[in-house]
């Protein structure tokens, strides 16, 4: 009886020890084989995308720039600027998720449909929603990040308040305080003191967005899109996330002020004209714009 | 009967001690732990470090009005001591010492438009803080290779911003830069196990090394890497001096 008990306990302890020692090494192993990749799915709304279904579309429409291996090194690479995205890295500009996290399937779906202004990526709205969702899964299958890592939690955007002259003025203060003008310039023309030396993560020169030339921001041009751009940052570029340093309410003020810098007609622009708003003064002391 | 019983008792005792060691971590090891010490030197004339023109940002140039900033690729102290060399163990670590994570939380500060320290050594999963002491906006932008498991991120730190707390998942030498001030360039050196960084005289001490035989690697951003075999006795100290040739 005693002997049996001892035996039982020693085996329990032994098993516990094996588990305790084995854990650190097994936790680091992630399975990433061909099978796992091809079975990657994507979910947009109530549509489910399958990586293997997107292969023909990818090989016909995408491979020229993004390459067979998804490394952005297709045959058009030398002539395309900005350079095609390298899907193997799993780093994306347009996200609803915080900096350093994976985008959601919806984000990738939107990017395919929207295209990227001032680049060679057209709007692929010609694909059906099912095809686009399949392509999202195919884009994901190139990077090991999608195995074992989940997309970040999308940032919360409060409902858009009414535009008022006070909000535009407050937005101007935020523009000055977090020093957007360092790269974008005091008039938003992309000519700030640091603009000339900017490079992307792969060391290639990159220009800050010029608000005044009438272009659309790459990650969408609704007020919500602009809010998202500076609160998540554009990963892979010099544009950082300001989520820790701009409060949600202030962020809307900044969106309204950025509208006044754009050449397109807008309510905000008319208000700024009425206010006689001047560009921020980089040499003014803090809080005295 | 008695043989089996003895065996079972011994086994449970061993397992209990092992579990205790796992739970208590460093405390149990502390008695027998040794260290590795030494100095890192640069042989020959220290390369000339270019001055930095910070004219584009009035705050930065004012901060360096009396002491012009210069590149920090080679920082050589008296007697040729080489600063900012990371020393860590590449072979020989086993058991709990290999899986422990350092519990201190080092600070990587942005001060007078330079990184302090220029090189920050870290354990895998060790938390660290990025702070700013400057009255100008910085963006802190580490550039790891995403294929290693470390994910690049990019956060702004305007004047008075709260510290950013982060950690890295895998061993890697990660360059970090500020896009707004292109001269700002530093390193996160993420290693597994105990490590040390050489001081202004080139001296270093790797603490918390259990007794054993090890390969110690010295890493410098421009001079490259060197390795040496070191043996540490229980509670004693091993020694390894490195000399890099000036290029």
């Amino acid at each position: 009886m005693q002997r049996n008990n001892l035996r039982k306990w020693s085996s329990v302890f032994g098993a516990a020890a094996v588990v305790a020692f084995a854990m650190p090494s097994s936790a680091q192993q992630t399975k990433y084989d061909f099978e796992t990749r091809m079975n990657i799915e994507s979910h947009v709304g109530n549509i489910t995308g399958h990586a293997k279904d997107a292969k023909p579309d990818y090989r016909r429409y995408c491979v020229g720039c993004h390459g067979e291996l998804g490394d952005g090194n297709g045959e058009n690479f030398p002539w395309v600027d900005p350079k095609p995205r390298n899907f193997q890295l799993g780093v994306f500009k347009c996200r609803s998720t915080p900096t350093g996290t994976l985008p959601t399937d919806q984000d990738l779906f939107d990017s395919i449909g929207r295209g990227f202004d001032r680049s060679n990526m057209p709007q692929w709205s010609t694909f059906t929603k099912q095809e686009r969702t399949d392509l999202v899964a195919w884009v994901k299958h190139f990077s090991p990040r999608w195995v074992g890592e989940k997309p970040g939690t999308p940032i919360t955007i409060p409902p858009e308040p009414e535009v008022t002259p006070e909000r535009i003025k407050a937005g101007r203060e935020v523009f000055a305080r977090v020093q957007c003008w360092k790269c974008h310039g005091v008039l938003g023309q992309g000519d700030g003191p640091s603009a000339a030396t900017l490079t992307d993560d792969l060391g290639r020169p990159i220009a800050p967005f010029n608000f005044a030339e009438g272009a659309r921001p790459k990650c969408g041009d609704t007020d919500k899109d602009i809010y998202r751009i500076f609160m998540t940052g554009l990963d892979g570029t010099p544009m950082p996330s300001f989520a820790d340093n701009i409060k949600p309410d202030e962020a809307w003020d900044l969106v309204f002020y950025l509208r006044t810098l754009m050449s397109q007609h807008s309510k905000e622009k008319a208000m700024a004209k009425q206010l006689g708003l001047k560009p921020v003064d980089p040499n003014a002391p803090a809080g005295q714009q | 009967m008695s043989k089996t019983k003895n065996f079972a008792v011994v086994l449970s005792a061993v397992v209990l001690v092992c579990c205790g060691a796992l739970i208590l971590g460093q405390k149990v090891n502390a008695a027998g732990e040794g260290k590795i010490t030494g100095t890192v030197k640069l042989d020959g004339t220290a390369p000339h470090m270019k001055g930095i023109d910070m004219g584009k940002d009035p705050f930065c140039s004012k901060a360096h009005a009396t002491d012009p900033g210069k590149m920090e690729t080679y920082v050589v102290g008296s007697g040729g001591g080489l600063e900012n060399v990371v020393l860590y163990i590449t072979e020989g670590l086993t058991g709990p010492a290999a899986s422990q994570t350092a519990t201190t939380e080092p600070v990587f500060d942005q001060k007078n438009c330079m990184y302090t320290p220029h090189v920050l050594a870290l354990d895998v999963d060790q938390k660290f803080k990025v702070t700013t002491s400057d009255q100008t906006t910085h963006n802190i932008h580490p550039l790891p290779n995403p294929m290693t498991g470390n994910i690049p991120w990019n956060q702004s730190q305007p004047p008075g911003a709260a510290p950013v707390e982060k950690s890295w998942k895998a061993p890697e030498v990660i360059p970090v830069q500020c896009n707004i001030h292109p001269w700002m360039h530093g390193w996160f050196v993420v290693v597994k196990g105990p490590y040390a960084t050489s001081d202004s005289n080139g001296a270093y001490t790797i603490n918390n090394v259990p007794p054993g035989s090890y390969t110690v690697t010295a890493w410098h951003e421009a001079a490259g890497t060197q390795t040496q075999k070191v043996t540490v006795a229980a509670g004693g100290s091993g020694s390894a001096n490195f000399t890099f040739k000036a290029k």
Side-chain angles (χ1 to χ4, degrees), chain A residues 179 182 194 201 241-242 245, chain B residues 57 136-137 141 154 156 180:
Chain A
Q179 304 184 344
K182 277 263 169 73
S194 300
D201 279 16
S241 157
F242 286 87
N245 301 300
Chain B
D57 193 321
T136 186
T137 297
H141 192 176
N154 184 3
S156 66
I180 298 167

